[in-house]
Amino acid sequence: MMKIFLFFILAVALNAVEYAVIANKKLDNYSFSKAKIKMIFLKKHKILNGTELVPINLESANSIRNSFESNVLNMSKNRIKSFWTKEHYLGHRPPLSVKSSKSVLSFVRKIDGAIGYVLLSDADESVNVIYKWSE
Amino acid sequence: MYRFIYILLILAIIVQADENDDKYVLGEGYKLGSLPMYIGGYLSTDYQHNTDTKEDVFRVNDIAFLSYGSHSNFSYMAEIEFKELYVKAWGDHSKEELNSRLYIERFYVDYTLDEEYIFRLGKYNSPVGYWNLTPINVLRETTSSPSTNYIIYPKYTSGLDLMYSYYNGYELNVDLLLQNNEDLDAAYNNFITDKHFGFGIEFTDNDFSLKLNGGDFHLKEKILEYEDVYYALLSFKYDTERFKIMGELGTQFCETKSTVPYSGYLQGVYRITEKHLPVIRFESHNSDITNKLSPNIEKDDVLIMGYTYRPMYPVALKAEYQVHSVRRENKAVFSFSVLF
């Protein structure tokens, strides 16, 4: 029975999808905790040593974004919506959205201070992986 | 006349904005072409039935327009508003009013110095407690606001706000408020002030936040025996996916006496789903002051039971019933509000 259980756990682990939060190479020297990444995507943390931080989202229905919101931001879609509605009243905007992981990679490569998220397998050496999670 | 020209201008901008490729999302405003500027607004209308006096009041309470944007380290916010645009009352105090004056609700510029410091100059919501940060009907949980929100401190400050933020797993926010001039548009401030010095220290760890505010202000219109008034307010909120609990407790005093010995509330909201939110609030205050937003308010305990239906987050249909221990203000309140 125990062997079957361990096999099941191993099978689930092997099938886990791995994701990465990526940053522009100019942010190489900084460490980013999960809490800090959350602050950046909620635009509470906007500047890092003089560099403007530019979070970039995938579109709302994207499965990678869904995983990012529930595992890194630890917030439901509804809570994020209510957060940005209140921020609209306060004069703040949500991060920009792009359609594909390819666009995220391109944006993060080109823009100083850009931070996005993709599948770990899509993150190449042109960007800096600052945080990983799996599901 | 200028009001109608302004409204025409707003509508023209909206039409132009609608032609942009950016998809409009209700509650997030319109982007103005390729400019880093956004416009939006909100509407609130309510109906009250006083079960003690049998009086009824219908109001188109708020129609407001927002404009904001940012460029480089600068950003701005402007909000103008029709207050109580239309009021119709039935009963002993029956009346019908149309108030078409536009008020400047907020108007400020922010300069972000670095990751820790922001300077704000202009007229802004005093960052005191939590209720006063997003005080409009559509964003709060009940149509009514607790007395703590209007008898302790000036709701608006016209001057400087120095903001300090520090993040390290937790958040620490500090505000220093400095006003040494008249209000930019005092008509709808609860206290008419020409000086306001205050501070706020807020600590946030995940879902829990705690905040302490204090300050003093100088009354331009003398409603107390002394013109210099001091206040302190302790507030907290615990906001999770399923429920939200918040509370504030404040006091106010002048040189000779305690003008508001205490005023506080405790409120709980349970999110059955994102659309259905029952709410309950208990308020208590003991006050020796009156101002135009709190006429004849002295000592009272209030229990408020309410229900909010949000077909989508920026739209709220609310119902509440208030039970007062002293004042003859037991009433049912209904409202419709939307942020666009």
Side-chain angles (χ1 to χ4, degrees), chain B residues 281-306:
Chain B
R281 182 169 75 240
F282 176 71
E283 294 178 40
S284 184
H285 62 257
N286 185 1
S287 167
D288 197 26
I289 63 163
T290 60
N291 64 35
K292 60 187 167 188
L293 291 183
S294 54
N296 308 317
I297 194 166
E298 289 177 350
K299 188 171 185 195
D300 204 359
D301 297 327
V302 192
L303 178 66
I304 291 155
M305 295 156 287

Side-chain angles (χ1 to χ4, degrees), chain A residues 17-82:
Chain A
V17 180
E18 290 189 292
Y19 303 89
V21 179
I22 56 172
N24 182 273
K25 276 286 187 185
K26 289 195 176 168
L27 296 174
D28 244 357
N29 298 325
Y30 305 103
S31 63
F32 292 86
S33 64
K34 186 172 159 180
K36 197 165 193 170
I37 292 166
K38 180 175 179 176
M39 290 295 117
I40 293 168
F41 274 82
L42 297 181
K43 291 200 172 175
K44 290 184 175 183
H45 194 164
K46 296 176 184 172
I47 296 175
L48 185 58
N49 275 9
T51 303
E52 187 184 355
L53 297 169
V54 188
I56 184 90
N57 261 331
L58 283 161
E59 286 191 324
S60 182
N62 187 289
S63 62
I64 302 174
R65 176 165 168 175
N66 292 340
S67 179
F68 175 77
E69 288 175 345
S70 57
N71 289 283
V72 182
L73 301 187
N74 288 328
M75 293 169 82
S76 67
K77 282 256 181 252
N78 185 58
R79 206 164 175 208
I80 292 169
K81 173 70 181 166
S82 65

Side-chain angles (χ1 to χ4, degrees), chain B residues 178-304:
Chain B
L178 305 162
Q179 176 184 342
N180 194 22
N181 45 264
E182 295 196 4
D183 197 311
L184 197 59
D185 186 349
Y188 264 88
N189 208 346
N190 50 336
F191 294 107
I192 310 301
T193 61
D194 53 12
K195 281 183 187 171
H196 181 199
F197 303 106
F199 73 90
I201 302 171
E202 182 190 16
F203 172 80
T204 301
D205 187 14
N206 291 314
D207 297 328
F208 180 75
S209 298
L210 185 67
K211 190 174 187 179
L212 176 67
N213 286 95
D216 75 282
F217 58 92
H218 180 262
L219 289 166
K220 194 168 171 245
E221 282 181 4
K222 193 170 177 179
I223 55 173
L224 297 166
E225 57 192 83
Y226 279 86
E227 295 168 353
D228 287 305
V229 185
Y230 306 87
Y231 67 86
L233 187 82
L234 183 66
S235 39
F236 83 95
K237 66 175 177 179
Y238 184 58
D239 191 1
T240 70
E241 289 285 344
R242 186 52 73 187
F243 64 86
K244 179 180 178 182
I245 300 172
M246 66 189 288
E248 298 183 348
L249 180 63
T251 185
Q252 187 199 76
F253 51 95
C254 64
E255 283 185 38
T256 52
K257 63 177 180 180
S258 182
T259 47
V260 181
Y262 66 86
S263 174
Y265 73 89
L266 185 65
Q267 175 176 280
V269 180
Y270 184 73
R271 299 179 175 105
I272 299 170
T273 68
E274 67 268 28
K275 294 180 179 177
H276 298 277
L277 304 100
V279 56
I280 188 162
R281 182 169 75 240
F282 176 71
E283 294 178 40
S284 184
H285 62 257
N286 185 1
S287 167
D288 197 26
I289 63 163
T290 60
N291 64 35
K292 60 187 167 188
L293 291 183
S294 54
N296 308 317
I297 194 166
E298 289 177 350
K299 188 171 185 195
D300 204 359
D301 297 327
V302 192
L303 178 66
I304 291 155

Side-chain angles (χ1 to χ4, degrees), chain B residues 74-202:
Chain B
F74 288 94
S75 60
Y76 80 95
M77 160 59 77
E79 179 185 351
I80 55 167
E81 180 171 336
F82 291 108
K83 273 279 189 199
E84 298 199 331
L85 180 68
Y86 177 74
V87 181
K88 175 135 176 96
W90 297 266
D92 290 345
H93 301 94
S94 65
K95 64 177 179 180
E96 186 169 15
E97 287 178 1
L98 187 65
N99 304 303
S100 59
R101 195 196 141 183
L102 272 170
Y103 298 92
I104 298 172
E105 194 88 341
R106 292 180 293 164
F107 187 74
Y108 59 76
V109 175
D110 282 351
Y111 177 73
T112 304
L113 182 68
D114 56 28
E115 59 200 86
E116 293 175 340
Y117 291 95
I118 298 174
F119 296 93
R120 172 168 296 176
L121 182 66
K123 183 181 179 183
Y124 51 87
N125 291 335
S126 303
V128 182
Y130 290 109
W131 196 280
N132 202 48
L133 300 181
T134 51
I136 62 173
N137 187 4
V138 67
L139 295 180
R140 56 187 195 235
E141 280 81 15
T142 54
T143 306
S144 61
S145 291
S147 60
T148 315
N149 184 232
Y150 49 85
I151 63 174
I152 299 280
Y153 54 86
K155 284 163 66 74
Y156 300 98
T157 304
S158 294
L160 199 61
D161 182 7
L162 310 177
M163 292 175 267
Y164 169 80
S165 301
Y166 177 75
Y167 302 105
N168 189 10
Y170 60 89
E171 295 176 53
L172 178 69
N173 295 297
V174 178
D175 283 283
L176 280 178
L177 320 181
L178 305 162
Q179 176 184 342
N180 194 22
N181 45 264
E182 295 196 4
D183 197 311
L184 197 59
D185 186 349
Y188 264 88
N189 208 346
N190 50 336
F191 294 107
I192 310 301
T193 61
D194 53 12
K195 281 183 187 171
H196 181 199
F197 303 106
F199 73 90
I201 302 171
E202 182 190 16

